[in-house]
């Protein structure tokens, strides 16, 4: 490629950051990293009624949690600052640039002022639709009724419309879907700026205008976005041409469906990225699961097949990512597959990598524990399906049980085992080898099986007969606390 690859993720901050948006950001991030390019975060906040600073923070925090760091864009946590040479990266802070570009189009006769009222347009729409046709402003049955040839000056407030080509096809070249053709006469002269407040004012520009100006100004080479934007692209292509700028490459990624083929919704599992974080999923598992939606990685020209091959690292995904390997049809999201990936990645991750992700699920006292204790705690619970499961499995190490499984108490805390509990209570050396040797001696002395003593200890210490390995359990609770908890049963 002759130019440096530049991709962007340009969300509208009108709500939560959903997994479809994160998948789009991930593909843009992977493609930029694959080609040594730049990845931009740009906030498209021209929907004034719904865009909020809180939603911008949610987007930034969600991407940061996912590990999708941006090279240019807002500074995390500081909406008034940015990094990169093309800032600001919020559209509402770029109004001077947009208005200058709109004035340029007006001066060149490529845009015009429209004073049509909403009521007048709605009345014409009803007339056209009553005739069984699709309403198009100043096209088809509406031709000659709009403002295209009225030559309105700036003496009254007006919207601004872009003058679209009148004939031929607008071809959208797409790296995933191939070429898609749109007849030019099927498209309106669309509004590029809403009606201003006073005479001559250029109002707030619309999304389809701003995105072209921003992609041009920020030197974006590849526009990777959801295929719900495909119908916007034939509006944007003539605008690129009007500004005389090179067209970026487009890649419209198919939508995500639930496992049953229906539109993704709450019943298929969480849809907001913050929900996945709260569920205790690893960012690496989310990245991998979303990457596999519509993308089939190939190793030496062969699609990955085995479970082991599926567990790609970020480095492998970056090396293998190719838009040519993305499917055209909608992808199906499988919550069970995501949880399986999460469990596998938890099991194979070093404790040092898991600890920062586990920390938010733990009590405040977790941070004061020594590294050796944390390592033992994590390694003893790495069979859990999620970080939340691991945290729950470690609750016994921080809290005395508030209640006890009555059936387990009756079954395991028998008179025969209590003398052995007394001897465990008196143990001093809590190294693994010493505990193992002590248990062997105690079991032989009282004629018990390992299960008898281990389950009795679990119930006494944790309130239920479930915990990590019994030696890990004792060491994590600690000698003094073990003695204190056992006292009530002796």
């Amino acid at each position: 490629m002759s130019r440096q690859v530049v991709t962007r993720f340009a969300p509208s901050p009108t709500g939560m950051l959903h997994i479809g948006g994160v998948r789009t950001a991930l593909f843009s991030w992977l493609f930029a990293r694959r080609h040594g390019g730049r990845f931009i975060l740009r906030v498209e906040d021209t929907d004034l009624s719904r865009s909020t600073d809180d939603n911008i923070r949610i987007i930034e925090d969600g991407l940061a949690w996912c590990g999708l760091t941006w090279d240019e864009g807002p500074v995390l946590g500081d909406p008034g600052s940015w990094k990169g040479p093309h800032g600001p990266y919020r559209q509402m802070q770029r109004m001077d640039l947009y208005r200058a570009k709109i004035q340029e189009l007006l001066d060149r006769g490529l845009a015009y002022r429209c004073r049509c009222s909403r009521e007048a347009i709605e009345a014409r729409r009803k007339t056209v639709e009553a005739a069984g046709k699709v309403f198009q402003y100043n096209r088809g049955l509406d031709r000659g009724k709009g403002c295209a040839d009225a030559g309105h000056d700036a003496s009254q407030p007006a919207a601004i419309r872009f003058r679209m080509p009148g004939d031929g096809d607008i071809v959208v070249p797409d790296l995933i879907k191939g070429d898609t053709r749109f007849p030019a006469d099927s498209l309106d002269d669309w509004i590029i700026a809403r009606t201003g407040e006073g005479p001559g004012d250029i109002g707030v520009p619309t999304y389809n205008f701003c995105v072209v100006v921003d992609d041009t100004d920020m030197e974006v080479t590849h526009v990777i976005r959801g295929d719900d934007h495909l119908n916007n692209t034939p509006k944007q292509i003539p605008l690129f041409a009007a500004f005389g700028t090179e067209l970026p490459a487009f890649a419209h990624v198919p939508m995500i469906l639930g496992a049953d083929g229906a539109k993704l919704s709450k019943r298929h599992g969480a849809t907001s990225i913050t929900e996945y974080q709260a569920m205790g999923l690893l960012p690496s598992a989310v990245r991998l699961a979303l990457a596999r939606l519509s993308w089939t990685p190939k190793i030496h020209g062969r699609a990955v097949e085995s479970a082991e091959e599926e567990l790609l690292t970020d480095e492998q995904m970056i090396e293998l990512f190719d838009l040519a390997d993305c499917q055209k049809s909608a992808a199906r999201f499988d919550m069970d597959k995501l949880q399986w990936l999460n469990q596998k990645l938890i099991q194979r991750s070093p404790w040092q990598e898991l600890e920062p992700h586990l920390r938010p699920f733990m009590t405040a006292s977790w941070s004061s524990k020594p590294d050796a204790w944390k390592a033992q705690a994590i390694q003893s619970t790495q069979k859990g399906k999620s970080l939340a499961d691991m945290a729950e499995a470690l609750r016994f190490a921080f809290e005395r049980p508030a209640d006890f499984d009555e059936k387990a108490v009756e079954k395991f805390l028998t008179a025969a085992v209590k003398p052995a509990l007394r001897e465990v209570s008196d143990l001093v050396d809590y190294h693994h080898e010493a505990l193992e040797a002590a248990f062997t001696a105690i079991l032989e002395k009282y004629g018990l099986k390992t299960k008898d003593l281990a389950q009795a200890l679990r119930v006494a210490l944790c309130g239920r007969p479930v915990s990590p390995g019994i030696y890990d359990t004792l060491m994590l609770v600690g000698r003094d606390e073990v003695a204190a908890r056992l006292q009530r049963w002796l």
Side-chain angles (χ1 to χ4, degrees), residues 92-321:
M92 288 306 297
Q93 297 174 352
R94 298 170 63 80
M95 288 294 120
D96 289 346
L97 172 62
Y98 302 144
R99 290 182 171 122
K101 291 293 185 180
I102 290 172
Q103 188 61 54
E104 176 188 330
L105 295 177
L106 287 168
D107 293 343
R108 293 167 57 198
L110 299 178
Y112 57 90
R113 289 181 170 84
C114 172
R115 297 180 185 168
C116 294
S117 68
R118 181 174 299 178
E119 293 77 14
I121 292 177
E122 188 59 30
R124 281 151 45 195
R125 181 190 304 278
K126 290 179 179 178
T127 300
V128 170
E129 291 177 348
K133 302 292 183 180
V134 177
F135 176 76
Q136 301 159 267
Y137 183 89
N138 205 39
R139 303 290 178 99
L141 295 183
D142 193 57
R143 186 175 294 281
K145 299 180 181 180
C147 296
D149 301 310
H152 293 311
D153 60 20
S155 61
Q156 296 181 38
I160 311 294
R161 289 185 183 269
F162 178 64
R163 201 183 295 271
M164 289 286 284
D167 52 28
D169 287 343
I170 298 173
V171 180
V172 179
D174 194 281
L175 296 174
I176 295 175
K177 295 181 177 295
D179 289 353
T180 304
R181 294 180 175 273
F182 295 83
D185 61 7
S186 68
L187 300 166
D188 302 74
D189 286 355
W190 52 283
I191 292 177
I192 59 177
R194 302 172 182 89
T195 301
E197 294 183 0
D201 288 345
I202 295 175
V204 176
T206 57
Y207 160 78
N208 277 310
F209 179 81
C210 296
V211 73
V212 170
V213 173
D214 289 341
D215 285 344
T216 298
D217 181 63
M218 297 178 186
E219 302 173 335
V220 172
T221 62
H222 292 76
V223 173
I224 302 171
R225 58 190 178 192
D227 61 5
D228 54 324
H229 287 281
L230 180 60
N231 289 335
N232 289 325
T233 313
K235 295 181 178 182
Q236 297 167 5
I237 286 177
L239 193 55
F240 279 107
F243 288 130
T245 55
E246 184 177 349
L247 200 65
F250 294 101
H252 289 92
V253 182
M255 68 184 298
I256 302 174
L257 303 176
D260 58 0
K263 185 177 179 181
L264 193 65
S265 66
K266 281 283 188 181
R267 66 188 177 88
H268 298 108
T271 57
S272 166
I273 199 64
T274 55
E275 293 177 87
Y276 291 107
Q277 183 178 3
M279 287 168 59
L281 299 180
L282 289 172
S284 55
V286 174
R287 287 195 298 272
L288 182 54
L290 293 183
R292 294 303 312 277
L293 295 177
S294 300
W295 173 52
T296 303
K298 294 179 179 178
I299 299 175
H300 305 305
R302 177 184 56 78
V304 298
E305 296 176 350
S306 69
E308 189 65 25
E309 286 180 333
E310 281 194 278
L311 297 173
L312 298 171
T313 64
D314 283 344
E315 292 73 18
Q316 289 172 314
M317 285 197 290
I318 290 170
E319 179 184 354
L320 298 173
F321 187 76

Side-chain angles (χ1 to χ4, degrees), residues 369-383:
K369 296 290 187 180
D371 283 351
W373 190 94
K374 291 178 183 176
Q376 184 178 20
I378 291 172
Q379 290 164 357
S380 70
T381 54
Q382 276 187 265
K383 292 182 180 179

Side-chain angles (χ1 to χ4, degrees), residues 412-423 442 446 448-449 451-457 490:
F412 296 113
L413 286 169
T414 63
V417 82
K418 287 188 178 182
L421 293 182
R422 183 172 288 104
E423 296 216 19
I442 293 170
Y446 295 101
L448 298 172
K449 296 179 180 179
K451 179 182 178 181
D452 299 329
L453 181 55
Q455 293 298 80
L457 283 167
L490 301 180

